[in-house]
Amino acid sequence: MKKCVCYLLMGLLYPVSLLPLRVHYFFSDIFFFFVYHVFGYRKSTVYINLSRSFPDLKYGEIKALARKFYRHLADLTAETLWYVAATPSQLAKRVCLEQAEVLRAHYGQSRSVLLLGGHMGNWEYFLVTSVYADMGWGGYPKEKMAVVYKALENPVMDRFFLWVRQKHRFGGVVESNRIARFMARHRREPWVYAMVADQSPLPGARYCINFLNQNTLMMNGPEQLARSMNCAVGYYKMIKEKRGLYRITVQHICNHPDELPLGGITESYAKLLEANIYEQPEIWLWSHKRWKRDVKKEMKK
């Protein structure tokens, strides 16, 4: 039944996705009006997250920033729908990739790299545009790039987005619960593993840092994976140049995990993500309930 619903969804959305991107942006403006002015989608969550993250901003400034975020959220929705039927050449024009050469030395040494990012800009574009970029990932062929994703709670939407990601046919799309086994199976080969790592962690997380002026629990998994597989680690910074155009810059975290103390990879990642957010705050996913659990209670368990 779920598969049938998913196929029906594909059949309905695919013809719409064929429309030019400028048409999608026209509907994005309409969507923004309803999401922001009519329904107020998660407005309380957005305002609370922004006010706690930027305590020095006045209410009017928080309101203006929230409005910019909802504008971006509407564009993100339109871009994701367009991306369903977009061609490789169209996608390659959406993102400019910079400093991927920092990875070249690792490829020359046949070492794998774990690239960590956040819900910045259009992370769905990143998943496939990097594959089609002219310069590549510092020598890594697209067949040696795997994207790690977290399964959505809605099984129909999860199947749909998995189909969209897989149709571009690069190295692999691996669910987060299976990535450790995937990396172990390919540990003798040089791979790039890309992962969005700013979600609220599952119960049991023990990395707590000050992030956006708040005590924040961070995911244990990325650092544990890097250490167990002896991967180099980097951060992919994403900036929105203008509507529909993004720039990714690869930033170094460590060549070998043992260069940093326990928790150092997570802390370095969080600092780079925080700087990315401060540079362009409206393109982070403020509607996510990132601080939904009490840190003190979690740390006592």
Side-chain angles (χ1 to χ4, degrees):
M1 180 62 183
K2 294 174 183 176
K3 186 180 290 188
C4 292
V5 175
C6 183
Y7 286 144
L8 177 62
L9 182 63
M10 294 176 192
L12 292 173
L13 293 183
Y14 194 84
V16 178
S17 70
L18 292 169
L19 293 170
L21 187 55
R22 64 180 180 275
V23 177
H24 286 278
Y25 283 137
F26 170 77
F27 289 111
S28 170
D29 294 336
I30 299 173
F31 183 64
F32 162 74
F33 174 81
F34 282 97
V35 169
Y36 181 71
H37 292 286
V38 179
F39 300 111
Y41 170 71
R42 290 192 176 182
K43 256 191 177 181
S44 59
T45 298
V46 172
Y47 275 64
I48 289 172
N49 286 344
L50 285 172
S51 60
R52 290 177 178 175
S53 299
F54 301 96
D56 296 332
L57 295 185
K58 297 178 181 179
Y59 175 73
E61 294 172 311
I62 293 293
K63 188 176 180 180
L65 185 53
R67 184 184 177 91
K68 288 182 180 179
F69 161 70
Y70 279 102
R71 281 282 186 188
H72 172 69
L73 184 64
D75 281 354
L76 177 62
T77 304
E79 290 166 4
T80 302
L81 180 56
W82 172 80
Y83 145 92
V84 170
T87 65
S89 60
Q90 289 174 322
L91 286 166
K93 295 175 182 177
R94 297 294 101 195
V95 174
C96 172
L97 184 63
E98 297 179 343
Q99 296 184 18
E101 63 273 8
V102 301
L103 306 175
R104 198 171 300 279
H106 300 305
Y107 183 73
Q109 297 171 7
S110 295
R111 299 192 66 234
S112 294
V113 179
L114 180 61
L115 281 180
L116 304 177
H119 284 91
M120 294 291 297
N122 189 326
W123 53 94
E124 290 293 338
Y125 273 8
F126 164 75
L127 297 181
V128 293
T129 306
S130 53
V131 175
Y132 302 126
D134 292 337
M135 67 179 70
W137 276 108
Y140 289 83
K142 67 178 183 180
E143 293 80 13
K144 296 295 183 181
M145 178 177 178
V147 171
V148 185
Y149 80 101
K150 182 175 175 58
L152 300 175
E153 293 182 5
N154 185 310
V156 174
M157 294 305 298
D158 181 63
R159 184 182 288 271
F160 173 75
F161 276 103
L162 182 59
W163 169 75
V164 172
R165 292 162 181 167
Q166 287 180 329
K167 78 186 186 72
H168 293 281
R169 299 186 182 280
F170 47 96
V173 181
V174 187
E175 211 280 326
S176 57
N177 291 328
R178 300 173 182 171
I179 186 58
R181 282 176 289 178
F182 185 93
M183 292 175 71
R185 190 163 65 248
H186 297 282
R187 67 184 309 157
R188 298 183 184 278
E189 308 166 39
W191 279 70
V192 172
Y193 299 97
M195 178 185 300
V196 174
D198 58 351
Q199 300 97 328
S200 181
L202 295 172
R206 288 293 178 268
Y207 290 158
C208 180
I209 64 171
N210 187 283
F211 175 70
L212 294 175
N213 294 298
Q214 301 165 78
N215 287 329
T216 306
L217 289 169
M218 303 296 291
M219 293 172 61
N220 296 346
E223 176 154 345
Q224 291 175 345
L225 284 171
R227 292 186 181 278
S228 63
M229 303 297 171
N230 191 28
C231 293
V233 186
Y235 174 76
Y236 61 88
K237 172 185 175 181
M238 192 171 228
I239 288 294
K240 188 175 185 177
E241 298 283 2
K242 60 181 182 179
R243 199 177 204 184
L245 296 176
Y246 299 87
R247 173 168 47 88
I248 292 175
T249 304
V250 180
Q251 297 178 301
H252 173 79
I253 291 181
C254 66
N255 292 323
H256 296 273
D258 57 11
E259 295 173 355
L260 299 175
L262 190 64
I265 293 174
T266 303
E267 186 171 353
S268 297
Y269 158 72
K271 287 180 178 178
L272 289 169
L273 173 61
E274 187 178 61
N276 197 172
I277 293 171
Y278 282 146
E279 184 173 347
Q280 201 171 24
E282 66 271 17
I283 68 169
W284 194 52
L285 192 61
W286 295 102
S287 56
H288 177 53
K289 296 180 180 179
R290 182 63 181 82
W291 294 276
K292 59 185 176 183
R293 292 203 303 274
D294 187 282
V295 174
K296 293 182 179 178
K297 290 181 179 180
E298 288 292 325
M299 296 297 287
K300 289 179 181 178
K301 292 180 180 178

